[in-house]
Amino acid sequence: MWSTQTYNDQQPLTQPAGGPYGGGSPYDSRGGGYPQGGYPQGGYPPQQGPYGNPGPGGPGGNQQNEKASKSVLNPDWSIYFFVASCSTMLGAFIGGLCLFFSFELVDFLEMCYILVFGGVLALMDTPCFKTVKTVKDHREYFSKYVNILTRVTGKGIAFLFLGCALFSTMWDNLESSGLKFLAFVLCMIPIIVGIAALVIGFIKSQKLNKVRQVFAQEGENHMASVYDQHARTYGGPHGGLTMLEFSELTYKTIQIKWEDTDLKLIFNALVSNPAWRTNVTNFSSYGAQQVEMAKIPKEDLVAWVSGGIVWL
């Protein structure tokens, strides 16, 4: 039996229900609930946060508060991306209507292209209808065939291009002052988001590249042995490192910590198999759910270490 915890706004990070090695409550190694004598001394057990860290009420409250303060500096970019996509679609729709009735068909086709492109970006970061099968299927298709749009730098380039193209077309073809002002407002949103995404992506990519350089200096054999030590959940030649295990590996090696959003970006960029970038729920012959965590195999890890910089 597995339990899920929310990872970012899209994918859940999973871990076995109960104790760390299965079998029941984490507060009783025998798997039978709380220890004999009722609740533990000192009241209720500490609340568990993401990755099993104690919540604000537990002994790790300071770490939780520190993580909350870091989340302010590392916001959920999917909301900003979704707003920028909707702004692009709205501008393309308004401009397309004006150009269609003025019989400027070439510029109208450009607006249709921008509208479709904005819709693709909005679908990838929409906070709504995440559980709808059509939305999930299209996200998998885009992640597989347009992988650049799953990275912060790729989206930054896309929004910067769409914002500039939309602004130039609307500004040159619309005569109304009100429409030109609306074009300026709607186009500045994706342009600003695109520039910010490029800066953030560059910083995060340089941080990941520092880890890669340290691993490359230690050699491929050392990397393989370290991998075998940390791949506890899915060991063996067909296994891989989970997000938590990858974070522990990098922290022990170079003392670098990763936020949840950073780990998702790293796995989207490093894992070659699209099915292993996200959590997969399988059903056994008896109907029981078996959830597999996102993982990076040894081959992809070694290829990343021996290669060059990877842009997140």
Side-chain angles (χ1 to χ4, degrees):
M1 191 67 181
W2 296 79
S3 66
T4 61
Q5 291 180 331
T6 301
Y7 170 75
N8 197 8
D9 66 325
Q10 297 182 355
Q11 302 298 339
L13 182 63
T14 61
Q15 59 184 15
Y21 301 103
S25 171
Y27 310 110
D28 184 4
S29 59
R30 297 169 296 180
Y34 293 105
Q36 185 176 2
Y39 291 108
Q41 185 176 1
Y44 292 96
Q47 299 177 353
Q48 295 291 323
Y51 304 131
N53 296 327
N62 294 333
Q63 290 85 345
Q64 189 72 11
N65 294 335
E66 181 181 356
K67 183 176 181 180
S69 63
K70 289 183 179 179
S71 63
V72 177
L73 302 176
N74 192 21
D76 183 8
W77 277 93
S78 61
I79 301 298
Y80 298 103
F81 290 148
F82 180 72
V83 172
S85 303
C86 293
S87 177
T88 303
M89 294 173 61
L90 180 59
F93 179 76
I94 295 175
L97 285 179
C98 297
L99 295 173
F100 178 78
F101 289 108
S102 62
F103 298 101
E104 300 180 39
L105 298 182
V106 176
D107 293 324
F108 170 74
L109 291 177
E110 181 181 359
M111 288 297 179
C112 292
Y113 163 76
I114 295 176
L115 179 64
V116 173
F117 204 161
V120 171
L121 292 172
L123 184 63
M124 296 189 65
D125 293 292
T126 175
C128 310
F129 309 110
K130 292 181 180 180
T131 58
V132 178
K133 185 179 185 301
T134 303
V135 175
K136 295 173 64 177
D137 291 342
H138 281 81
R139 279 185 172 181
E140 291 181 2
Y141 296 151
F142 297 148
S143 299
K144 181 178 181 180
Y145 297 107
V146 199
N147 183 254
I148 189 175
L149 295 182
T150 63
R151 309 188 185 190
V152 175
T153 52
K155 288 182 180 179
I157 295 174
F159 281 121
L160 188 60
F161 166 75
L162 290 177
C164 293
L166 180 63
F167 178 76
S168 63
T169 304
M170 295 183 70
W171 190 267
D172 292 339
N173 294 280
L174 301 181
E175 299 179 356
S176 173
S177 300
L179 290 177
K180 287 189 175 182
F181 175 76
L182 182 63
F184 176 81
V185 174
L186 293 178
C187 295
M188 281 299 104
I189 295 177
I191 290 176
I192 294 175
V193 170
I195 295 175
L198 285 175
V199 174
I200 296 298
F202 177 80
I203 295 174
K204 294 181 182 296
S205 299
Q206 292 296 329
K207 181 180 177 181
L208 179 63
N209 193 50
K210 291 181 180 179
V211 179
R212 185 196 66 81
Q213 291 175 348
V214 173
F215 287 153
Q217 292 176 358
E218 294 178 350
E220 183 175 335
N221 294 332
H222 176 76
M223 188 69 233
S225 62
V226 171
Y227 169 88
D228 295 332
Q229 295 175 4
H230 288 80
R232 299 182 297 271
T233 306
Y234 301 104
H238 302 291
L241 289 174
T242 63
M243 293 183 180
L244 177 58
E245 293 167 349
F246 179 83
S247 181
E248 291 177 350
L249 173 61
T250 56
Y251 181 74
K252 291 180 180 180
T253 303
I254 195 175
Q255 301 295 310
I256 286 183
K257 294 182 179 180
W258 301 103
E259 298 292 332
D260 294 351
T261 52
D262 296 338
L263 290 171
K264 189 175 187 303
L265 289 173
I266 292 172
F267 272 57
N268 282 336
L270 299 186
V271 178
S272 59
N273 187 352
W276 286 11
R277 296 173 188 159
T278 58
N279 300 324
V280 181
T281 303
N282 298 322
F283 295 89
S284 64
S285 58
Y286 300 98
Q289 296 185 5
Q290 298 177 345
V291 183
E292 294 185 359
M293 288 183 276
K295 51 186 177 292
I296 175 172
K298 181 187 292 187
E299 294 78 9
D300 292 342
L301 193 66
V302 173
W304 164 62
V305 172
S306 59
I309 184 173
V310 174
W311 297 102
L312 299 180

